[in-house]
Amino acid sequence: MSVKKVGELLVEQKVITQEQLNEALDLQKTFPAHPIGQLLCKLGFIKESDLSAFLDQKNKRRKLSDILIANGLIDQQKLSHALDMSRRSNISLEKSILKLNFVEEESLSKVIASQYDMPYVEINSQDLPLELSGYISKVYAQKQRIAPISKIGSTLTLAMVHPLKSHDIRELEDSIRLKIISAIATETNIARSLKRLYNIDVASKADSAEEVSFDMGPNSIVDLLSKTGDGDEPEVAEETKKVTEKDSVIVKLVNKIIYDACMNKASDIHIEPYPGKNDVIVRTRVDGQCSIYQRIPYKYKYALPSRIKIMSELDIAERRKPQDGKIDFKKFGPLDVELRVATMPTVGGLEDVVIRVLASGDPISFDDLGLTERNRRVFKESLARPHGLILVVGPTGSGKTTTLHSGLAQINQINRKIWTAEDPVEITQPGLRQVQVNPRIGFTFAAALRSFLRLDPDIIMVGEMRDEETASTAVEASLTGHLVFSTLHTNSAPETVTRLLEMNLDPYSFSDSLVCILAQRLARRLCKDCKESFRPTVNEFEELVAEFGSDEFAKSGVTFEDVVMYRAGGCDNCSHTGYRGRLGIHELLECTDELKALIKRRADTDHLREQASRDGMTSLKQDGILKVLRGVTDIHEVRRVCIK
């Protein structure tokens, strides 16, 4: 059923005629940014008060969020953060937007004025006649956040933070026997006006209502650092005392560092103090690359680590040995993210801190993994197997867990019991029973896996095969009717087989259980907004063919005349790096009968690689070059992440 528009409803209710609506629609072609109701008022076909009452009655008022986005004052990501803070803190959307410094107070008030088709006013509180206070009671003005700002004849102009309801205005008009004109003003202006007219301070009321909000400080970290000033070489005891007393600058500084890192989609934050009067370097890792985020004055080289240790409930007095913990950032800031913290003592009695931003959330779509047609088909067939062992391998931070969860999402059905053991649990999805291991108390991956076998599972995911016990238990589980997923830190799919055989796994059991091995890397994706196309030279093309393998490249049917490549540009959307986001580069080894025979004979890595290639496997470098030819990354990125 189609939703009726404001104009149609006004005609239906006989408030205006169809001819009047048509005239307003014609005018809207000249002024497309103006709502139809506003144009009807300008043409004199309807009163603003009647239109406002009608819009409220029919719930047709434009949403504040839609106007903010349409005017380019806020983007969808910031809006989501503001809405989340609004829900959790039980405050209005306007309050959360202001507390997060996403929009200036004046700009937000102007948007509210346009939302309700009301004028926006700037108030010079010092010019307000004191006799205006006699028309509105002190208690009512303070409660409703309204201030009388002028009286002309029998008309009183009321400034308000947010529009009063129509019936409240009518009751007020009857009470004071004056006609009221409503206008929108900032809360700061209203507060100053109330101070002038009634000698009341509403700031304390606003502050108490917002105790639940988060102190993010000013928009720029430069503003925060300007407050720090210079000083002598700090002492540990003195700086620790400041932190425990919640020094506002330190609290804001740490919150701002973490908040900016999350907004920039950083995976890690590195806080690096240096001896003497050298600045503290704060670096962030975005899309796998570290860069300097900010230099913090040396006077905070003890205070910053101490504040982070308090947030993660670590021992603030212990500086001689490494510690690790976690921060639930929603207790301190506007984002619902979990942070993993590790500290390390460094020279000069200092401590480095590394914060890992755990990308909690839903699994990414299987279609967004970036698998080639052959790899996608083989991986899907492997997921459909009733039992066996599926491995995803690669270095730390190569997206192994993300890929496993995307695969699990494909087979996560009500008739299958799925258990996962992870460290930590980053991605969640309904239907999975997820467990976080804790090696400190002896609850290791191997212990979790043994326990899972007593819990009637169909599918088991083990976060990592770190030792022979975990690997052999996983193989046994896959041979007894379970589909087992796991990860390893190896460089390629064929090398994974050799590594597991070196763990003293029985080659016969292992070959029977293995279904496939997916090796992967993450390369930076070229920014869609600024990437530049070019035709490679003959030498560049020949280098590309040689790296791919001339015989294999010939089978692709791609010729020199067909090739168009892309290089990194640089724009505001990618922080002038030329790259934005990452994509997977894959190598999928399918355990065919021929490969099983080689595993049973303990064949070396080269023989395994040759057989896998005959079975259709493309190497990591080859898969990367195919994605270069598709224009999603460049050859420099592929060479950086792929050794061979």
Side-chain angles (χ1 to χ4, degrees):
M1 185 179 69
S2 61
V3 178
K4 290 186 178 179
K5 296 180 179 179
V6 171
E8 294 172 345
L9 287 169
L10 287 167
V11 172
E12 191 179 275
Q13 298 289 321
K14 294 186 169 56
V15 178
I16 61 171
T17 65
Q18 184 63 49
E19 289 74 20
Q20 289 172 330
L21 174 61
N22 292 339
E23 189 175 338
L25 289 170
D26 288 338
L27 185 61
Q28 196 176 43
K29 293 173 184 176
T30 309
F31 304 102
H34 287 64
I36 196 69
Q38 204 174 86
L39 295 174
L40 287 165
C41 291
K42 288 185 184 296
L43 291 168
F45 297 149
I46 186 172
K47 293 180 182 178
E48 286 190 6
S49 57
D50 293 339
L51 175 65
S52 181
F54 181 85
L55 291 173
D56 291 334
Q57 180 189 354
K58 298 295 182 181
N59 198 24
K60 284 290 182 180
R61 185 76 64 186
R62 283 195 301 166
K63 289 183 180 178
L64 177 68
S65 55
D66 293 341
I67 302 173
L68 288 168
I69 289 177
N71 291 350
L73 293 171
I74 200 170
D75 58 30
Q76 192 60 53
Q77 185 183 25
K78 287 183 177 179
L79 176 62
S80 299
H81 291 325
L83 287 168
D84 185 48
M85 179 178 171
S86 171
R87 284 191 296 269
R88 288 190 285 108
S89 304
N90 195 27
I91 58 177
S92 67
L93 177 61
E94 298 99 292
K95 290 279 188 195
S96 63
I97 287 171
L98 288 175
K99 291 300 291 182
L100 292 167
N101 290 307
F102 286 160
V103 179
E104 294 292 330
E105 186 183 23
E106 182 181 337
S107 300
L108 186 62
S109 293
K110 287 178 178 177
V111 169
I112 294 171
S114 70
Q115 181 189 15
Y116 288 91
D117 300 315
M118 292 171 62
Y120 168 80
V121 291
E122 278 282 351
I123 310 171
N124 186 349
S125 57
Q126 296 306 313
D127 294 341
L128 293 179
L130 293 177
E131 58 266 22
L132 288 172
S133 61
Y135 297 103
I136 304 293
S137 76
K138 174 180 174 179
V139 174
Y140 189 79
Q142 185 175 8
K143 180 183 176 184
Q144 300 291 351
R145 293 185 297 169
I146 61 174
I149 58 173
S150 77
K151 179 182 176 293
I152 300 173
S154 60
T155 302
L156 183 72
T157 301
L158 275 185
M160 51 194 72
V161 176
H162 202 271
L164 294 178
K165 290 184 171 60
S166 300
H167 69 270
D168 289 335
I169 293 287
R170 285 195 297 270
E171 286 181 3
L172 197 56
E173 286 178 330
D174 292 341
S175 172
I176 64 176
R177 300 181 184 279
L178 292 172
K179 178 165 178 56
I180 289 174
I181 293 178
S182 301
I184 296 294
T186 64
E187 187 157 13
T188 302
N189 271 336
I190 297 289
R192 288 172 183 160
S193 301
L194 294 178
K195 178 73 173 175
R196 161 78 174 164
L197 295 172
Y198 302 101
N199 197 27
I200 55 175
D201 189 356
V202 295
S204 59
K205 179 189 172 188
D207 289 343
S208 64
E210 294 174 22
E211 283 177 357
V212 293
S213 62
F214 306 109
D215 201 352
M216 292 302 300
N219 281 326
S220 170
I221 195 165
V222 177
D223 297 336
L224 273 174
L225 295 177
S226 67
K227 298 181 180 181
T228 61
D230 295 321
D232 297 328
E233 178 75 12
E235 294 182 5
V236 178
E238 180 188 339
E239 291 302 309
T240 303
K241 184 181 178 183
K242 281 185 183 178
V243 174
T244 53
E245 290 173 352
K246 292 192 174 181
D247 182 282
S248 62
V249 175
I250 298 169
V251 171
K252 289 177 181 178
L253 199 55
V254 173
N255 282 1
K256 188 65 177 171
I257 290 169
I258 294 171
Y259 177 78
D260 283 354
C262 293
M263 293 300 289
N264 292 328
K265 295 183 170 58
S267 60
D268 300 88
I269 306 165
H270 298 256
I271 295 171
E272 303 165 350
Y274 290 87
K277 294 189 176 183
N278 296 302
D279 289 342
V280 179
I281 305 295
V282 180
R283 296 196 286 167
T284 56
R285 187 182 296 277
V286 179
D287 292 338
Q289 296 289 297
C290 263
S291 61
I292 292 179
Y293 158 73
Q294 192 65 50
R295 295 176 183 271
I296 309 293
Y298 68 91
K299 67 174 291 186
Y300 286 117
K301 62 186 178 183
Y302 299 119
L304 281 173
S306 295
R307 171 60 187 165
I308 295 167
K309 285 163 77 173
I310 287 173
M311 293 169 73
S312 48
E313 298 179 357
L314 300 178
D315 185 355
I316 191 173
E318 180 56 76
R319 291 181 173 80
R320 298 166 301 169
K321 64 181 182 181
Q323 298 185 66
D324 58 87
K326 288 182 180 177
I327 298 173
D328 187 1
F329 191 57
K330 68 183 177 186
K331 296 177 183 176
F332 307 97
L335 303 181
D336 187 6
V337 294
E338 189 176 353
L339 308 167
R340 191 164 57 189
V341 176
T343 69
M344 176 62 69
T346 52
V347 291
L350 302 170
E351 283 181 292
D352 270 36
V353 181
V354 177
I355 303 172
R356 164 64 60 89
V357 181
L358 300 180
S360 58
D362 300 326
I364 69 169
S365 165
F366 189 80
D367 296 331
D368 293 336
L369 289 177
L371 296 166
T372 60
E373 188 178 342
R374 180 260 175 188
N375 289 348
R376 177 187 168 89
R377 174 183 56 79
V378 173
F379 198 42
K380 262 200 161 184
E381 289 172 357
S382 301
L383 294 171
R385 297 280 286 270
H387 55 81
L389 181 63
I390 296 174
L391 300 174
V392 179
V393 303
T396 300
S398 59
K400 300 185 295 295
T401 303
T402 301
T403 298
L404 280 181
H405 269 280
S406 296
L408 282 174
Q410 289 289 106
I411 54 177
N412 182 6
Q413 298 167 0
I414 196 69
N415 60 344
R416 288 175 170 166
K417 184 62 178 282
I418 304 175
W419 283 97
T420 77
E422 302 167 70
D423 184 22
V425 176
E426 295 184 46
I427 301 171
T428 59
Q429 48 180 308
L432 266 58
R433 308 309 300 150
Q434 295 177 267
V435 172
Q436 184 155 318
V437 299
N438 188 349
R440 291 179 181 175
I441 61 171
F443 187 40
T444 61
F445 283 119
L449 185 50
R450 286 195 304 272
S451 299
F452 286 167
L453 295 175
R454 296 190 289 271
L455 297 171
D456 187 31
D458 294 300
I459 299 164
I460 297 170
M461 185 184 112
V462 184
E464 187 182 336
M465 285 187 179
R466 292 179 178 170
D467 49 51
E468 179 187 345
E469 183 184 9
T470 308
S472 59
T473 309
V475 169
E476 289 171 16
S478 65
L479 290 172
T480 53
H482 306 98
L483 188 60
V484 180
F485 296 79
S486 192
T487 72
L488 260 86
H489 291 119
T490 53
N491 288 325
S492 68
E495 287 176 48
T496 305
V497 175
T498 308
R499 170 76 62 83
L500 288 168
L501 290 175
E502 287 174 354
M503 281 187 182
N504 296 321
L505 289 185
D506 175 28
Y508 288 89
S509 300
F510 175 50
S511 62
D512 286 342
S513 68
L514 186 63
V515 177
C516 73
I517 301 173
L518 179 69
Q520 73 176 51
R521 300 287 188 278
L522 290 178
R524 289 185 295 172
R525 188 186 293 271
L526 287 170
C527 175
K528 295 177 182 177
D529 298 319
C530 64
K531 66 180 181 180
E532 304 166 356
S533 63
F534 70 98
R535 295 296 298 268
T537 65
V538 174
N539 287 339
E540 287 173 333
F541 179 73
E542 288 176 351
E543 281 182 21
L544 206 66
V545 172
E547 289 184 76
F548 193 93
S550 54
D551 294 338
E552 289 87 350
F553 194 86
K555 296 174 186 175
S556 69
V558 178
T559 62
F560 175 67
E561 289 74 20
D562 299 330
V563 175
V564 177
M565 294 168 63
Y566 291 83
R567 62 168 69 95
C571 65
D572 291 338
N573 293 328
C574 61
S575 302
H576 298 279
T577 62
Y579 302 94
R580 189 172 53 173
R582 291 194 283 180
L583 75 155
I585 294 175
H586 306 95
E587 175 180 273
L588 183 56
L589 178 148
E590 184 181 10
C591 196
T592 59
D593 291 338
E594 292 79 10
L595 202 68
K596 288 179 189 290
L598 288 175
I599 293 173
K600 288 172 183 175
R601 296 203 300 271
R602 292 181 179 271
D604 60 29
T605 304
D606 291 338
H607 285 98
L608 292 168
R609 184 178 287 108
E610 289 169 8
Q611 181 58 52
S613 296
R614 286 193 291 272
D615 293 334
M617 182 187 82
T618 53
S619 69
L620 285 164
K621 177 68 77 69
Q622 289 172 335
D623 191 68
I625 291 172
L626 291 174
K627 283 161 184 170
V628 169
L629 296 175
R630 281 172 42 204
V632 291
T633 189
D634 61 21
I635 190 62
H636 305 296
E637 273 299 294
V638 173
R639 287 170 180 155
R640 182 178 66 84
V641 300
C642 302
I643 300 170
K644 295 181 180 179

